[in-house]
Amino acid sequence: MSSTAAQSKRRIVVLISGSGSNLQALIDALNTPALPNAEIVLVVSNRKAAYGLTRAAQATPPIPTAYLALATYVKQNPGKTREDYDAEVAKIVLRAKPDIVVLAGWMHILSETFLELLDGRKVVEDTPVLKPIPVINLHPALPGQFDGASAIERAYEAFTKGEITHSGAMVHRVVKDVDRGEPLVVREVAFVAGESLEAYETKLHNVEHEIIVEATKKVLEEL
Ligand SMILES: Nc1nc2c(c(=O)[nH]1)N[C@@H](CN(C=O)c1ccc(C(=O)N[C@@H](CCC(=O)O)C(=O)O)cc1)CN2
Ligand SMILES: NCC(=O)N[C@@H]1O[C@H](COP(=O)([O-])[O-])[C@@H](O)[C@H]1O
């Protein structure tokens, strides 16, 4: 048996909120030189209508999915907080025994509670985390530039005002402070005079689809 075949596959959990085109990039890269010896064992969405859930279900083989929305959770669990929700998401993730967690358009700011459960500082149920599980995030802007939501639109607006000539995308480690974790892969994307927001977004998404695979492979290789 080849050494690769003998190695158990690295387990990836992906968190999404929307279309899932970056999830699809990961699915398409599985077990190619771009992302060898890996499998996506769970896709979690905080939005029921996220098309990424369909992409997971239509993958070959189908990828298990889970859905949990903050609003639904707090409504169904009176008195529970956002941190309780984050702990519940962490439990769902940890049950899948991931080697890495990838935020691919996950539009929810995670509290320290989630991060403590993933890195072993806190233990939930009887699933101890023996080694910190890396959590990485795809962000459509450069380090320290346009942190937070709607980054693409804000970057484009800055370009139209002549404030910047380029933006880009990055994948970074997830820490409590949003989009302030260590950059893992950074790619600049130049604006072209007169181009529409849609044209820029298309360029940017194509770059995202590459760097999310590159960053995932990079982190898995470090384990
Ligand atoms: N602790 C961290 N959590 C998250 C990070 C991070 O770096 N640290 N990255 C984000 C992803 N993201 C930008 O890359 C981002 C996503 C969502 C938001 C945001 O304002 N979310 C609102 C809800 C918005 C909505 O539901 O449409 C919120 O959570 O209240 C900011 C940045 C993922 N999490
Ligand atoms: N701040 C986080 C953020 O804005 N993430 C962005 O959500 C989109 C998800 O697309 P997808 O659902 O098609 O993968 C991507 O453009 C990603 O950069």
Side-chain angles (χ1 to χ4, degrees):
M1 179 181 286
S2 74
S3 59
T4 305
Q7 290 169 347
S8 59
K9 290 188 175 184
R10 294 295 194 183
R11 299 168 65 86
I12 304 168
V13 169
V14 183
L15 273 54
I16 64 166
S17 298
S19 162
S21 69
N22 287 282
L23 165 66
Q24 191 65 58
L26 288 167
I27 293 171
D28 296 345
L30 287 173
N31 303 309
T32 72
L35 191 52
N37 196 38
E39 58 184 332
I40 298 172
V41 294
L42 179 67
V43 172
V44 182
S45 175
N46 67 341
R47 294 178 186 166
K48 201 168 193 175
Y51 185 67
L53 292 171
T54 302
R55 294 180 192 267
Q58 293 180 344
T60 304
I63 300 168
T65 62
Y67 155 71
L68 188 63
L70 173 60
T72 308
Y73 175 79
V74 294
K75 186 176 178 183
Q76 292 176 348
N77 300 275
K80 292 288 188 182
T81 67
R82 189 178 172 118
E83 282 69 23
D84 293 323
Y85 168 81
D86 289 358
E88 195 57 38
V89 173
K91 288 178 197 174
I92 293 169
V93 168
L94 289 173
R95 287 188 199 114
K97 301 186 187 312
D99 293 301
I100 186 172
V101 178
V102 182
L103 309 187
W106 170 256
M107 299 307 287
H108 170 85
I109 297 174
L110 293 164
S111 59
E112 191 75 357
T113 302
F114 179 91
L115 300 173
E116 287 171 336
L117 291 167
L118 269 286
D119 67 21
R121 282 178 285 163
K122 273 187 180 173
V123 178
V124 68
E125 295 173 355
D126 58 357
T127 52
V129 171
L130 304 179
K131 202 168 93 172
I133 299 168
V135 183
I136 67 175
N137 175 62
L138 170 69
H139 183 59
L142 297 175
Q145 191 193 55
F146 308 112
D147 292 346
S150 308
I152 297 174
E153 294 80 1
R154 289 187 284 142
Y156 184 79
E157 185 181 359
F159 160 63
T160 60
K161 291 177 179 174
E163 295 166 357
I164 59 174
T165 59
H166 65 278
S167 185
M170 67 167 169
V171 179
H172 62 89
R173 293 190 190 278
V174 172
V175 296
K176 183 175 184 298
D177 295 337
V178 176
D179 299 330
R180 289 291 166 156
E182 172 203 356
L184 294 161
V185 178
V186 181
R187 191 85 61 80
E188 291 190 0
V189 178
F191 292 101
V192 172
E195 78 177 336
S196 66
L197 170 60
E198 292 67 29
Y200 171 70
E201 270 198 281
T202 299
K203 279 193 308 189
L204 190 84
H205 289 325
N206 289 335
V207 166
E208 288 185 315
H209 299 160
E210 293 175 5
I211 66 172
I212 195 165
V213 173
E214 185 180 332
T216 301
K217 181 185 179 191
K218 177 178 180 177
V219 172
L220 288 177
E221 287 175 341
E222 291 169 353
L223 297 180

